[in-house]
């Protein structure tokens, strides 16, 4: 006998004695019983699809690090919105890649009622009124330094940025945006936006706060998609949350809710499941996660190499976000997921 083979000791207990007959595998024995006790599920109703918008007509530019993702001219975005609505996707989140010549120190072009994001909102709302539109009021697509706020003497100035973001939010609402989702992490932005929306007759426009947006390396491909990667000087640590922190995330969410946020968002997604769970338990509010560009890119890259089953990982990662407490997820996979769930 091999001396390393563990011997069953004389008088050893049987498994039924060890478990007191509580065999947890019983309910896993068949597909029907697994389905019966399944606690969470993913549906098309959980999906928000982020799309990138560019100037021009009939343009679809592939984003290098995000296979399957395109920058779309407004007419193409309308087509994709029609497809999304047919698939049952509840809402789109739009992000512009602004022409370089239109970017400046303060991101002034965000205050143009006819900028590409506001035109996209109007065109989509006209063609596909049944789909929800979520717009970001952060300045980064519009600044020539790639920061989310106004840069003065090396500092992202808070209060001036809040004024600009607030004015942009009102213009977005006037263009037909249903939800303002400010991602800039300035202090006081939620309350300021709520006041301004209400004062301008947009009481029904909701606010999804990027309450806990972490300083993260997972945003890389997005910055390439909107053309800020080469512009950004320094990093965003003075305004995004330190990714070492969790209590601070709770304080951020609490503050945004006190200021009038209707929904909370955690960003990135999968590496921050603990934050999702804490916020859901603490506040019981509609809670979302943004499965960001780097998360998407990792799945696509590994899948393209044949190292993982991309479709299964996509579905598992989204279900994990649901299990953590998300009511929905912003994900570049949205149309693909909707197709898979339909089929
Ligand atoms: C900035 C913004 C970011 C993303 C959306 N808006 C982060 C950043 O560039 O710092 C990231 C989205 C993604 O990575 O998919 N306001």
């Amino acid at each position: 006998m091999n001396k390393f083979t563990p011997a069953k000791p004389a008088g050893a207990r049987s498994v039924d004695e060890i478990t007191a007959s509580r065999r947890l595998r019983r309910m896993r024995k068949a597909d029907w019983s697994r389905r019966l006790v399944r606690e969470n599920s993913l549906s098309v109703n959980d999906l928000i699809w982020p799309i990138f918008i560019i100037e021009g007509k009939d343009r679809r530019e592939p984003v290098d690090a995000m296979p399957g993702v395109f920058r779309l001219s407004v007419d193409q975005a309308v087509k994709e919105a029609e497809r999304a609505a047919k698939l049952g996707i509840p809402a789109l989140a739009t992000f512009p890649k602004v022409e370089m010549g239109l970017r400046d120190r303060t991101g002034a072009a965000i205050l143009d009622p006819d900028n590409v994001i506001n035109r996209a909102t109007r065109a989509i709302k006209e063609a596909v009124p049944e789909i929800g539109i979520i717009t970001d009021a952060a300045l980064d697509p519009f600044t020539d330094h790639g920061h989310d706020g106004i840069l003065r003497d090396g500092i992202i100035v808070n209060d001036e940025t809040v004024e600009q973001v607030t004015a942009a939010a009102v213009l977005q609402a006037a263009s037909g945006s249903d939800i303002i989702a400010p991602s800039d992490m300035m202090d006081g932005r939620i309350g300021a936006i709520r006041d301004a929306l209400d004062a301008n007759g947009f009481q029904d426009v909701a606010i999804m706060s990027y309450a806990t947006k972490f300083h993260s390396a997972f945003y890389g491909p997005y910055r390439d998609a909107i053309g800020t990667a080469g512009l950004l000087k320094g990093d965003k640590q003075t305004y995004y949350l330190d990714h070492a922190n969790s209590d601070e995330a709770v304080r951020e969410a609490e503050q945004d809710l006190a200021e009038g946020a209707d929904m909370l968002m955690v960003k990135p997604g999968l590496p921050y499941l603990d934050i999702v769970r804490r916020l859901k338990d603490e506040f019981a509010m509609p809670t979302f996660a943004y499965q960001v560009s780097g998360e998407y890119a990792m799945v696509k890259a590994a899948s393209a190499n044949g190292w993982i089953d991309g479709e299964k990982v996509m579905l598992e990662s989204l279900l994990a976000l649901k299990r953590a407490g998300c009511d929905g997820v912003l994900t570049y996979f949205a149309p693909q997921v909707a197709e898979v769930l339909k089929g």
Side-chain angles (χ1 to χ4, degrees), residues 305-327:
N305 277 295
W307 295 337
I308 59 171
D309 180 328
E311 187 174 301
K312 288 201 172 116
V313 170
M314 164 184 88
L315 294 172
E316 182 179 335
S317 61
L318 291 167
L319 188 54
L321 286 157
K322 290 288 308 284
R323 192 193 61 236
C326 282
D327 295 283

Side-chain angles (χ1 to χ4, degrees), residues 29-170:
K29 74 177 180 188
D31 180 62
W32 66 263
S33 62
R34 289 192 294 270
R35 282 191 286 127
L36 202 57
V37 300
R38 188 159 293 150
E39 299 170 41
N40 294 284
S41 62
L42 180 66
S43 105
V44 70
N45 299 324
D46 301 321
L47 304 173
I48 296 170
W49 185 19
I51 59 170
F52 299 113
I53 315 282
I54 45 172
E55 295 287 355
K57 220 181 137 20
D58 217 16
R59 286 175 72 197
R60 294 175 69 89
E61 276 181 15
V63 178
D64 285 347
M66 302 176 74
V69 172
F70 297 84
R71 303 179 191 93
L72 307 164
S73 54
V74 171
D75 56 306
Q76 289 296 314
V78 168
K79 284 208 177 107
E80 292 292 57
E82 282 163 354
R83 179 163 78 101
K86 277 203 193 86
L87 284 166
I89 294 171
L92 303 176
T94 54
F95 297 93
K97 181 181 182 195
V98 176
E99 305 278 286
M100 286 301 164
L102 294 176
R103 303 189 195 200
D104 64 15
R105 302 301 291 166
T106 65
I110 201 170
L111 299 180
D112 176 359
D114 291 321
N115 66 28
V116 73
I117 214 67
N118 292 328
R119 273 185 279 125
T121 303
R122 289 198 291 269
I124 294 170
K125 272 286 149 183
E126 195 183 309
V128 201
E130 68 272 26
I131 205 160
I133 301 280
I134 302 174
T135 52
D136 189 353
L139 305 183
D140 57 299
F142 299 92
T143 56
D144 59 12
H145 44 71
H147 280 290
D148 296 22
I150 295 172
L151 180 64
R152 235 177 255 305
D153 303 326
I155 289 171
I156 303 300
V157 290
N158 192 88
D159 301 16
E160 223 178 303
T161 299
V162 168
E163 271 181 46
Q164 181 121 318
V165 163
T166 299
V170 172

Side-chain angles (χ1 to χ4, degrees), residues 216 218 266-276 288-292 294-296 298-299 312-324 326 329-330 333:
S216 171
F218 284 94
V266 174
K267 181 181 180 183
L270 211 55
Y272 295 82
L273 295 180
D274 58 320
I275 309 293
V276 171
F288 294 79
Y290 197 144
Q291 182 178 55
V292 299
E295 297 175 72
Y296 177 88
M298 290 195 306
V299 176
K312 288 201 172 116
V313 170
M314 164 184 88
L315 294 172
E316 182 179 335
S317 61
L318 291 167
L319 188 54
L321 286 157
K322 290 288 308 284
R323 192 193 61 236
C326 282
V329 183
L330 291 91
F333 286 119

